[in-house]
Amino acid sequence: MSSPNKGIGTVEVALRWDPSAGGEPAHDLDIIAATYHADDPYGEPAYLVHFDSRSPDGTITLNRDSRTGQGFGDDEVMTLELERLSSGYVRVVVGVAIQQRWGRRTFAEVANTAVRISEGRTALRVDDFGSVADATAATVAEFARDSSGAWGFRGAVNGFDADPATFARTMGADLG
């Protein structure tokens, strides 16, 4: 039986930041999406999508990846085709991590950070990471299937003090 509830379909997550000041190491921020199976929706991710990767079925793709924040417009863009995602997946968490290879960096140390989550022309959430300024990583969106199979959106920003690898393993923990 089908449901009249369409839910969320295709979503775009766009990230931007300013390059570091001259002579300073580059700021490298990354969008990461973690997908979770129905049998373990808050455990280890079934798979991750981040720089130089896409989901095994092509439903989650990182379309643009910047290592410096240079250029105009969005520095990183990820597309999530939730309506095409296998019914075995019930949750997708999207986060942003700051690479830490040149020492600990927080969102407060990266100028003009912003993330925009949108479905078509509708902005679901826009945030500047001000509420998690002392964090090195943050979740920015959670998409979950309801009992009818429709995808819903929760846009809370939660900060983490973790390197990107640790963040990727723990970003889907139940923080509620």
Side-chain angles (χ1 to χ4, degrees):
M1 175 179 212
S2 65
S3 168
N5 182 6
K6 291 183 180 180
I8 302 287
T10 298
V11 177
E12 180 179 89
V13 179
L15 177 65
R16 65 175 55 196
W17 68 96
D18 284 351
S20 57
E24 294 290 320
H27 300 304
D28 184 3
L29 283 67
D30 291 309
I31 301 173
I32 302 170
T35 305
Y36 299 88
H37 282 291
D39 60 348
D40 196 11
Y42 294 95
E44 290 280 326
Y47 63 83
L48 298 171
V49 178
H50 50 80
F51 56 91
D52 294 332
S53 71
R54 68 180 201 144
S55 63
D57 60 3
T59 58
I60 302 174
T61 307
L62 185 63
N63 306 316
R64 187 176 308 150
D65 177 33
S66 173
R67 293 177 181 231
T68 63
Q70 293 177 322
F72 295 105
D74 299 322
D75 297 306
E76 297 215 355
V77 177
M78 180 177 279
T79 302
L80 298 92
E81 296 177 82
L82 298 170
E83 73 277 13
R84 289 187 45 230
L85 198 60
S86 166
S87 62
Y89 300 106
V90 298
R91 189 165 172 255
V92 178
V93 177
V94 179
V96 174
I98 303 170
Q99 291 293 328
Q100 301 294 316
R101 62 183 158 262
W102 295 288
R104 186 176 184 278
R105 298 260 191 257
T106 66
F107 288 108
E109 297 172 280
V110 180
N112 295 317
T113 56
V115 63
R116 180 182 79 282
I117 302 152
S118 55
E119 182 182 29
R121 294 180 185 257
T122 303
L124 302 174
R125 179 168 184 90
V126 176
D127 196 275
D128 66 0
F129 299 98
S131 65
V132 294
D134 293 332
T136 61
T139 56
V140 296
E142 176 184 0
F143 302 95
R145 282 190 206 261
D146 65 19
S147 60
S148 74
W151 287 94
F153 169 72
R154 188 173 79 100
V157 175
N158 295 302
F160 290 74
D161 190 7
D163 63 88
T166 302
F167 172 63
R169 284 192 314 274
T170 61
M171 64 191 270
D174 186 3
L175 300 175

